[in-house]
Amino acid sequence: MKKYFIKTFGCQMNVYDSQRIAAILETLGYTAAPSAPQADLVIFNTCHIREKAAEKVFSDLGRLEIIKQERAARGLDTVIGVVGCVVQAEDEQIAKRAPYVDFATGPLTYHRLPEILAKIGRCRGTTIIDTEFPAESKFDFLPPNRSEGGCSFVAIQEGCNNFCTYCVVPYTRGVETSRPVEDILTEARRLVDGGSLELNLLGQNVNSYHGEDAAGKERNLAYLLQRIHEIDGLRRIRYTTSYPADVDADLIACHRDLPKLMPYLHLPVQSGSDSVLKAMNRRHSAGQYLDIIGRLKAANPQLGFSSDFIVGFPGETDADFEATLDLVRQVGFIQAFSFKYSRRAGTPAALMPGQVEEKVKKQRLEILQNLLFSLQLKFNKESVDKVMPVLFDIKGRHKGELVGRSPWMQNVHAVLPASARNTIVKIRIKDANVNSLSGEPQD
Ligand code: SAH
Ligand code: SF4
Ligand code: F3S
């Protein structure tokens, strides 16, 4: 029986895609291998968002070539495939820099894997490349999704039309497309029947969702959330990643009206400076962002926010950076991701004047992260002595320990019987640090 191993880089959408690729391979008779050297087929699912992410793919591929040679010395054949966003952006580079790669397909064409694998048998020694933006939707060709535990992802939207000037995603994932309402509901029900208590609806710009319902009428994310909320047995709903300018009144009302919708929202702002936001081609100002946060908080005072930030965007001055720090203090984010601006070939910002020195980017990132970590620590410390429902889905490092997520996406550690895995347990929080909480079950 042939074995596969998939290594996933990048965002949650890639994690979802890797699960779907695994499902395709299993319909072809493959089983999962615990590591690359034990696999007949190794797939890297790649990310192109920053230079470091893309370069890591090439350095890890180098290691894979050695594994392929070692296996060949033992008489074992290894097929190497690369999928995901690096392929869409750098298909020729892959064939050139890593000619031992057998196939490369973009994030929208991996449903063609069965045909691609069949072709490889016939033409070893060349790299099969498929980076078409296909007319068909891959979702129509994938085997049914299955529940892998308490929390599952469901892709509802893919691609992005925003064209932020720093970002490769509109080029790698293509234009925005939304899956039909009924297809999503079918997948969601199947996952809940399979044991998922939490569904996380995914999209590059998830709140621009505009899929068709059974009658062919276009529906928004709020409608979809309401329909998903009706699923018996489902306990928690999240959605990610949202674009601030596309948060509408219907969506805000969901945070007031839908108890299963978790009180945590990832709403990237990128910068607190209006001139930087404009240069980034973001369709919102800092003031508009704060206004949306205010309306969301009014709808549900329990809501905690997280964000992404980019420091050192071309032209960013000290005053612009200070404006970001101000916005962070005003919102009081409970979690955040922050990055140094990375120049991506083919994006407009790569050619902008005023590229910021690496040293300055590094300093700004450190200052921003210190502020963000202090806010996160403050929020986590405030959780101590509170009792909260935690969905435990993974084993901890210590014996008898499980790790789960609080409603606010905090990692919570607790010693629990193994049977508590993939259930929701009320936990009294005893201790907190910047990255996690720990506590005990509350009887
Ligand atoms: N669709 C999502 C996520 C995009 S990628 C969104 O709009 O938020 C995740 C994050 O990576 C972005 O929010 C941004 O903060 C960061 N990012 C994107 N391109 C980048 C670049 N060229 N340099 C540094 N960070 C970048
Ligand atoms: Fe990239 Fe901007 Fe689209 Fe997010 S909204 S994926 S940052 S272009
Ligand atoms: Fe990376 Fe593509 Fe996701 S570039 S962040 S894997 S959409």
Side-chain angles (χ1 to χ4, degrees), residues 284-301:
H284 60 85
S285 63
Q288 283 164 336
Y289 182 83
L290 291 170
D291 179 61
I292 294 159
I293 295 280
R295 285 161 58 207
L296 282 159
K297 269 203 167 143
N300 181 357

Side-chain angles (χ1 to χ4, degrees), residues 281-384:
N281 191 34
R282 301 283 293 184
R283 289 182 284 113
H284 60 85
S285 63
Q288 283 164 336
Y289 182 83
L290 291 170
D291 179 61
I292 294 159
I293 295 280
R295 285 161 58 207
L296 282 159
K297 269 203 167 143
N300 181 357
Q302 295 281 309
L303 258 175
F305 297 94
S306 81
S307 177
D308 294 340
F309 294 93
I310 296 177
V311 298
F313 186 79
E316 186 187 67
T317 62
D318 285 340
D320 292 323
F321 177 61
E322 284 297 328
T324 299
L325 298 177
D326 267 353
L327 180 136
V328 169
R329 288 187 204 101
Q330 284 186 64
V331 177
F333 292 100
I334 66 170
Q335 236 180 68
F337 304 91
S338 41
F339 314 98
K340 288 183 283 188
Y341 167 68
S342 171
R343 217 168 163 171
R344 307 307 284 130
T347 62
L351 302 175
M352 283 182 185
Q355 298 286 330
V356 175
E357 258 184 277
E358 179 62 25
K359 199 178 89 197
V360 175
K361 286 188 202 171
K362 206 170 152 228
Q363 278 169 353
R364 288 183 185 162
L365 187 67
E366 205 177 304
I367 294 168
L368 176 61
Q369 290 191 334
N370 283 338
L371 174 61
L372 290 167
F373 288 152
S374 72
L375 290 169
Q376 189 169 323
L377 181 63
K378 179 171 166 272
F379 181 74
N380 286 352
K381 290 272 183 209
E382 284 165 6
S383 306
V384 173

Side-chain angles (χ1 to χ4, degrees), residues 160-164 166-170 204-205 243 270 282:
C160 184
N161 296 348
N162 284 322
F163 290 94
C164 301
Y166 50 82
C167 184
V168 297
V169 171
Q204 265 84 39
N205 184 6
Y243 187 78
Q270 313 297 354
R282 301 283 293 184

Side-chain angles (χ1 to χ4, degrees), residues 9-11 13-14 46-49 85 168-169 172-173 204:
F9 303 77
C11 64
M13 189 69 103
N14 262 13
T46 61
C47 173
H48 200 245
I49 201 81
C85 292
V168 297
V169 171
T172 64
R173 294 267 172 179
Q204 265 84 39

Side-chain angles (χ1 to χ4, degrees), residues 402-423:
L402 294 178
V403 186
R405 236 75 42 212
S406 80
W408 296 274
M409 278 304 246
Q410 296 149 296
N411 289 319
V412 183
H413 298 248
V415 173
L416 287 166
S419 59
R421 195 156 165 205
N422 295 327
T423 69

